[in-house]
Amino acid sequence: MTSSGNNCTYQVRSRIVKEGGSVTIPCSYAVPKDQQKDAQIIWEESDNIYCFLPREDFTLSGDVTEKYAGRVTKEKDPHRNWTEAIRITRLKRSDGPLFCCHLYNTKEKKKILSNDYGTLLHFPDEGYVTQLDKLVAIPSEEVIIPCHYSRKVSDLVQEVTWYATREESHDYCALAKEIHTWRDARQHDRYSLVDFPQDVSLRIHNIHKDDDQYYCCYVYTANRTAITTRQATRLIITGNSSSLHSHQPPDVLTVQEGGSVTLNCSYIVDNPYTESDIMLVSVYWRVGSVMGPYAYHPHQEMVHPTYTERATITGTTNLIIRGVQVADNLSSFHCIVVLKFCTGSNKYEDKIQHGGETRLTVQALYPKSYMDRGTVILAAYVVIKFFTVLVATAVILGRLRRRREKIHRST
């Protein structure tokens, strides 16, 4: 597997779920090639905030504890050899709430590596704050870093503090520097909130390269209780917009209005990495330019409304657009890929690539030229019909006039 000899496991930090519903929790992993045959993923649940103190194994070598009997299945990612997931159905409030994946050596019967953070389940009636794991931005554009809280918190918000740090740690905010504390939506330097208190997401105007940091929000309620997220948002800033432009000519695709089209996106794994070092592939599709609105984003809330219901990912990076519209004609779609590599013992590095550009030519169901020909034919038909009626009327009137004259002479 990994050529670097590094061990990693990677999970999403949180999932919002419903009681009685289901959830799929993926885990990507990497182990050295010589350990591959003896490596296995095991899952544990914990009632701690981190995976340091697990409560019990609920799946190991196919065995499931009675609590999860009939509710847990393992799944493999069809597009990634080193990603597996568990799917839990008929969720209960007593499940988890933290689920941890671990690398396990079946020969030595011991854990090789534990994921520190795990995946934490949030139920809707709980008081929680969530953030995205990462965003990609280009210097000079404007970016919004979401900070969302549950309905239980929404009516209690009094103030919000945003922090930023370059340090990666278990508690990002503990090492972070305060950006500002807001009690309204007014702008402070380059920073403002979207719509305090309904939306306390951070808006950063005129992005700089130095804005490449981790950001976290603290929400304070009426009794000064602080609620924060366990997931800081990594804002990844590219060097400049030209660095994301593909050096290859764009693909040009022709599609009929109302049809579907697949836009291809590719990436290259540069030395010293291999495909097996990849923990996560995140793809972003932007329209018009690499700074345009999103046709696709891993987080649906970031997608432009025009594409919310029409654009989905197939495979790992390719984009399907359904119900193609005339408005899509001559649009350019830019694919940006962020690869997360395993670089050490649960150490990661993000690399950004331009995955290609595609331009669409949309053929309307009723082309303008067709409509023009139809208009000419219709007009000609109307004119001919008019003259035909006119001539017929003249003939009839002429006959009537001659008949009257004949009758007049005979009398």
Side-chain angles (χ1 to χ4, degrees):
M1 297 171 72
T2 176
S3 60
S4 60
N6 297 321
N7 290 313
C8 286
T9 57
Y10 181 80
Q11 292 180 246
V12 294
R13 300 285 179 85
S14 63
R15 283 277 192 262
I16 298 174
V17 297
K18 294 181 180 180
E19 191 170 3
S22 62
V23 65
T24 299
I25 305 174
C27 172
S28 299
Y29 59 95
V31 295
K33 189 173 182 179
D34 60 352
Q35 300 179 26
Q36 176 180 356
K37 65 177 182 178
D38 298 320
Q40 173 187 352
I41 290 293
I42 66 172
W43 291 87
E44 298 178 344
E45 69 169 3
S46 173
D47 53 8
N48 197 0
I49 191 171
Y50 298 117
C51 293
F52 306 138
L53 299 173
R55 191 162 63 206
E56 63 178 326
D57 296 0
F58 68 85
T59 175
L60 173 58
S61 301
D63 297 329
V64 178
T65 61
E66 182 179 350
K67 175 181 177 181
Y68 292 96
R71 298 197 294 129
V72 173
T73 55
K74 282 188 176 183
E75 301 176 353
K76 293 290 292 185
D77 188 326
H79 308 291
R80 298 283 304 150
N81 291 332
W82 303 283
T83 298
E84 80 168 41
I86 54 168
R87 178 175 174 79
I88 307 173
T89 59
R90 305 194 304 276
L91 284 167
K92 303 175 182 178
R93 296 304 299 263
S94 58
D95 289 346
L98 186 65
F99 293 91
C100 313
C101 76
H102 307 276
L103 274 174
Y104 185 82
N105 188 301
T106 56
K107 182 178 180 180
E108 300 179 6
K109 299 188 183 305
K110 68 176 184 180
K111 293 178 186 177
I112 303 172
L113 187 69
S114 299
N115 183 276
D116 293 339
Y117 297 95
T119 300
L120 184 67
L121 301 188
H122 292 300
F123 288 89
D125 59 348
E126 298 174 346
Y128 61 82
V129 175
T130 61
Q131 291 183 232
L132 307 184
D133 57 344
K134 65 174 159 297
L135 290 171
V136 178
I138 297 170
S140 78
E141 75 169 322
E142 180 180 294
V143 168
I144 294 176
I145 304 177
C147 174
H148 296 312
Y149 37 75
S150 59
R151 183 175 300 178
K152 183 176 181 179
V153 177
S154 60
D155 295 333
L156 304 174
V157 176
Q158 296 292 304
E159 65 180 39
V160 175
T161 301
W162 275 92
Y163 297 87
T165 179
R166 301 187 190 283
E167 302 294 331
E168 185 174 7
S169 68
H170 288 99
D171 188 351
Y172 292 93
C173 290
L175 303 175
K177 179 181 179 181
E178 180 180 327
I179 295 175
H180 190 64
T181 296
W182 280 270
R183 297 176 182 84
D184 52 44
R186 284 182 292 183
Q187 185 168 332
H188 174 76
D189 294 332
R190 292 186 298 119
Y191 309 98
S192 63
L193 301 187
V194 172
D195 184 21
F196 181 91
Q198 286 75 26
D199 188 345
V200 298
S201 301
L202 180 68
R203 179 185 281 116
I204 306 179
H205 307 263
N206 189 22
I207 285 290
H208 297 166
K209 180 64 177 176
D210 290 342
D211 293 324
D212 193 321
Q213 298 187 75
Y214 296 91
Y215 294 82
C216 52
C217 60
Y218 263 80
V219 176
Y220 293 92
T221 59
N223 59 1
R224 294 298 298 169
T225 299
I227 305 175
T228 187
T229 174
R230 67 197 306 263
Q231 171 71 70
T233 300
R234 166 79 190 283
L235 181 59
I236 304 172
I237 310 298
T238 64
N240 49 60
S241 59
S242 62
S243 68
L244 281 182
H245 282 289
S246 175
H247 299 296
Q248 301 295 325
D251 291 334
V252 179
L253 299 179
T254 301
V255 60
Q256 190 168 31
E257 179 187 1
S260 298
V261 63
T262 299
L263 285 56
N264 294 320
C265 173
S266 60
Y267 59 85
I268 299 173
V269 180
D270 294 323
N271 287 329
Y273 301 112
T274 67
E275 187 75 22
S276 59
D277 293 315
I278 299 176
M279 294 287 95
L280 184 67
V281 179
S282 300
V283 63
Y284 308 81
W285 282 89
R286 304 188 82 161
V287 185
S289 74
V290 292
M291 296 177 66
Y294 288 102
Y296 177 82
H297 192 285
H299 303 278
Q300 190 75 354
E301 65 195 83
M302 307 296 290
V303 177
H304 190 276
T306 304
Y307 298 95
T308 300
E309 301 295 333
R310 296 196 295 138
T312 56
I313 292 295
T314 179
T316 304
T317 55
N318 298 334
L319 183 73
I320 295 180
I321 301 178
R322 298 179 175 84
V324 172
Q325 303 171 358
V326 173
D328 297 322
N329 187 42
L330 303 181
S331 294
S332 61
F333 294 82
H334 300 259
C335 173
I336 301 170
V337 180
V338 180
L339 303 174
K340 183 179 288 294
F341 291 102
C342 174
T343 61
S345 180
N346 275 350
K347 300 295 183 183
Y348 316 100
E349 181 179 11
D350 293 313
K351 295 287 187 180
I352 305 176
Q353 293 185 20
H354 191 288
E357 176 186 357
T358 304
R359 294 179 185 172
L360 291 186
T361 299
V362 180
Q363 295 178 334
L365 290 176
Y366 302 100
K368 185 176 185 300
S369 59
Y370 175 84
M371 294 178 67
D372 290 345
R373 289 197 299 272
T375 302
V376 171
I377 293 172
L378 178 62
Y381 172 79
V382 171
V383 171
I384 292 172
K385 190 72 173 177
F386 173 77
F387 279 107
T388 299
V389 172
L390 188 64
V391 170
T393 302
V395 170
I396 293 172
L397 291 175
R399 288 176 178 175
L400 291 174
R401 186 173 61 254
R402 287 194 295 274
R403 182 177 297 178
R404 285 197 299 270
E405 291 176 350
K406 183 177 181 180
I407 293 174
H408 179 72
R409 283 196 302 270
S410 63
T411 58

